[in-house]
Amino acid sequence: MALIVQKYGGSSVANTDRIKAVAERVVATAKQGNKVIVVVSAMAGETDKLIRIAHEITDAPDEREMDMLLSSGERVTSALTAMAIQSMGYKSVSFTGRQVGIITDSAHTKAMIERISAERLVKAINEDKIPVVAGFQGIDESSDVTTLGRGGSDTTAVAIAAALKADLCEIYTDVDGVYTTDPRIVKEARKLDKISYDEMLEMASLGAKILHGRSVEFAKKYNVPLVVRSSFNYNPGTLIIKEDEDMEKIVVSGVAADKNQARITIMGVPDKPGIAANLFDAIANANIVVDIIVQNISSDTKATDISFTVSKADSKKAFEITKDVSDKLGAKGVNMNTDVAKVSIIGVGMVSHFGVAAKIFETLAKEGINIMMISTSEIKVSCVIDVKDTEKAVKTLHDAFNLAK
Ligand code: ADP
Ligand code: ASP
Ligand code: MG
């Protein structure tokens, strides 16, 4: 008997027929003698709809209220899924994040899970009930509802699997697994049988929305065996595990793209110690994550330009903060470009191979794609480019590194 956490994404619970199909899969797993905990997302499109409605009321909705609003989507599907399981003759009970003791920090709309007390989950399982947890949500120390950021139900599932030391966490979605790149952009993309936690972490944080980045962090930290597979068929999926020897032989395992980016440049700041600290402290204090940073020194003027990227969602706030800092420092001004995207190449084998970055630059140059910023680590190279070139860049890089089937 194994303990299995199964997470079903928005497309898997998009309507009542899909919810019944999910219930069948859950019951089939239970019939094989396993204990199952289910985590569900909101119905496909529901979270987007709620965000749209909020913006019909106000341009800048309060983040605490957004969390109250957005958490409702998952609440609906958890109750419906429990009903569907019950109607197949099995005991089931739905829970909100709060009811299963998911405690987060207070960073509304992108909260981080701090701990899970899970007593009710354990009790339910011991009573042979199949718990269905509303994903994507928790509460903070003051009992305010929080959400975990877009795609956050994956993290709910992995965190529960880690807390209860589950034998397996299955992420059910609308594609057969993790591919060399988004199969909706590149038809020739190849499904990976397995991928290391580190590569998956990079892929996810670089824009492959197949998994929420934080879910992979949890999986890695607590060694949770993770599988991504389709809820629409019985194909085996992709296993996400610790790196092994075969993996190191593969130089490049995937290409990711992220259009959810904005580049902010502060121009003509005095070139002296403490400037960057000033700016990035102010941004960090607003819970905004800065990604790529580039600083140029122009030799004649003793002034420098600093460019950095943030997510589009944070861009307005980051722009305002940067303007304030610019005024205080007597800089020349601030501009923002929201028509940018980041394309990245990921692979653990890069550590021991030369020339990957050079090949990327050459490939993009041949297509006439201008690179605005570059950032590298041991296992990835990222380039910021014009958003209109995204698909072209992904396709040609995927081709150049022979990733196709
Ligand atoms: P869910 O609603 O099940 O959480 P998501 O829409 O969040 O599903 O994630 C699945 C989608 O991720 C796929 O439909 C696919 O378009 C996209 N995707 C992006 N990169 C990849 C990749 N490398 N492999 C597989 N899917 C990817
Ligand atoms: N419903 C949320 C979203 O659309 C969370 C999730 O699906 O994982 O982002
Ligand atoms: Mg998702």
Side-chain angles (χ1 to χ4, degrees):
M1 187 195 71
L3 175 62
I4 302 177
V5 177
Q6 297 188 330
K7 178 260 173 178
Y8 293 90
S11 46
S12 303
V13 292
N15 52 51
T16 47
D17 283 339
R18 290 294 314 153
I19 289 175
K20 288 180 192 163
V22 162
E24 273 167 29
R25 200 180 270 265
V26 170
V27 166
T29 311
K31 269 191 185 153
Q32 288 160 10
N34 303 299
K35 298 271 189 193
V36 192
I37 297 174
V38 184
V39 174
V40 287
S41 288
M43 290 182 183
E46 190 59 27
T47 308
D48 289 335
K49 187 179 108 194
L50 294 170
I51 293 173
R52 222 168 31 240
I53 294 173
H55 281 93
E56 283 172 19
I57 305 270
T58 163
D59 280 344
D62 180 79
E63 288 178 338
R64 180 191 177 280
E65 302 314 323
M66 276 313 270
D67 280 350
M68 281 296 274
L69 179 70
L70 298 190
S71 62
S72 68
E74 271 70 10
R75 203 173 168 136
V76 169
T77 44
S78 65
L80 292 174
T81 306
M83 289 175 201
I85 295 171
Q86 287 165 359
S87 66
M88 294 182 67
Y90 276 70
K91 288 193 274 186
S92 181
V93 54
S94 64
F95 293 114
T96 62
R98 171 198 203 114
Q99 288 173 319
V100 290
I102 296 179
I103 310 297
T104 71
D105 62 19
S106 298
H108 283 293
T109 75
K110 50 182 157 190
M112 293 224 231
I113 297 181
E114 289 180 341
R115 57 181 196 279
I116 300 185
S117 45
E119 286 116 32
R120 293 196 68 180
L121 271 181
V122 174
K123 185 163 174 281
I125 297 171
N126 289 339
E127 289 169 352
D128 283 327
K129 292 178 183 156
I130 299 174
V132 184
V133 181
F136 177 55
Q137 56 185 277
I139 53 163
D140 68 5
E141 294 294 346
S142 3
S143 296
D144 278 326
V145 175
T146 53
T147 64
L148 309 178
R150 296 307 305 270
S153 296
D154 298 332
T155 298
T156 306
V158 178
I160 288 175
L164 296 186
K165 301 196 170 53
D167 299 290
L168 181 64
C169 181
E170 295 180 311
I171 306 289
Y172 283 97
T173 183
D174 56 0
V175 288
D176 280 3
V178 180
Y179 284 69
T180 47
T181 194
D182 190 338
R184 295 187 199 286
I185 299 183
V186 180
K187 271 200 281 314
E188 298 75 26
R190 182 168 44 85
K191 195 189 92 189
L192 302 165
D193 293 330
K194 56 184 180 179
I195 182 170
S196 70
Y197 289 125
D198 286 323
E199 286 171 309
M200 192 63 237
L201 196 54
E202 289 288 1
M203 277 231 208
S205 57
L206 294 169
K209 82 174 183 143
I210 182 79
L211 279 177
H212 194 231
R214 226 169 271 150
S215 70
V216 190
E217 275 173 44
F218 265 106
K220 184 185 172 194
K221 189 164 168 195
Y222 298 101
N223 236 320
V224 179
L226 196 59
V227 170
V228 175
R229 55 191 298 193
S230 171
S231 70
F232 294 80
N233 61 46
Y234 284 86
N235 299 340
T238 301
L239 189 60
I240 297 140
I241 46 169
K242 261 202 198 132
E243 191 178 320
D244 63 29
E245 278 171 15
D246 315 347
M247 290 175 178
E248 284 162 33
K249 288 189 205 124
I250 301 164
V251 182
V252 168
S253 50
V255 181
D258 186 356
K259 292 183 175 179
N260 181 28
Q261 294 273 307
R263 181 180 67 152
I264 296 175
T265 302
I266 172 166
M267 291 162 300
V269 284
D271 187 18
K272 61 180 189 203
I275 298 288
N278 240 301
L279 172 62
F280 294 114
D281 265 0
I283 292 177
N285 287 339
N287 288 327
I288 294 173
V289 176
V290 171
D291 182 16
I292 303 178
I293 301 174
V294 174
Q295 173 170 346
N296 295 312
I297 302 164
S298 52
S299 50
D300 49 335
T301 60
K302 287 243 178 279
T304 177
D305 292 351
I306 302 174
S307 295
F308 57 95
T309 58
V310 293
S311 75
K312 267 207 182 97
D314 287 332
S315 61
K316 262 192 200 154
K317 222 169 162 187
F319 183 62
E320 291 308 322
I321 295 169
T322 311
K323 270 208 305 215
D324 281 350
V325 174
S326 164
D327 291 345
K328 278 190 203 125
L329 298 175
K332 284 210 191 94
V334 181
N335 67 44
M336 178 158 79
N337 183 351
T338 50
D339 293 325
V340 297
K342 183 171 64 180
V343 288
S344 309
I345 293 268
I346 298 112
V348 281
M350 266 188 217
V351 181
S352 52
H353 279 77
F354 300 106
V356 175
K359 186 165 174 178
I360 295 173
F361 306 150
E362 197 184 289
T363 306
L364 294 178
K366 258 192 218 146
E367 291 292 322
I369 297 171
N370 183 40
I371 301 172
M372 300 179 200
M373 296 166 107
I374 298 166
S375 143
T376 63
S377 80
E378 280 196 323
I379 67 165
K380 71 113 206 269
V381 178
S382 299
C383 299
V384 175
I385 59 172
D386 194 310
V387 71
K388 71 170 180 358
D389 294 327
T390 314
E391 276 78 17
K392 191 160 79 173
V394 170
K395 282 192 185 121
T396 137
L397 289 170
H398 193 265
D399 225 37
F401 285 93
N402 292 321
L403 294 174
K405 290 181 229 195

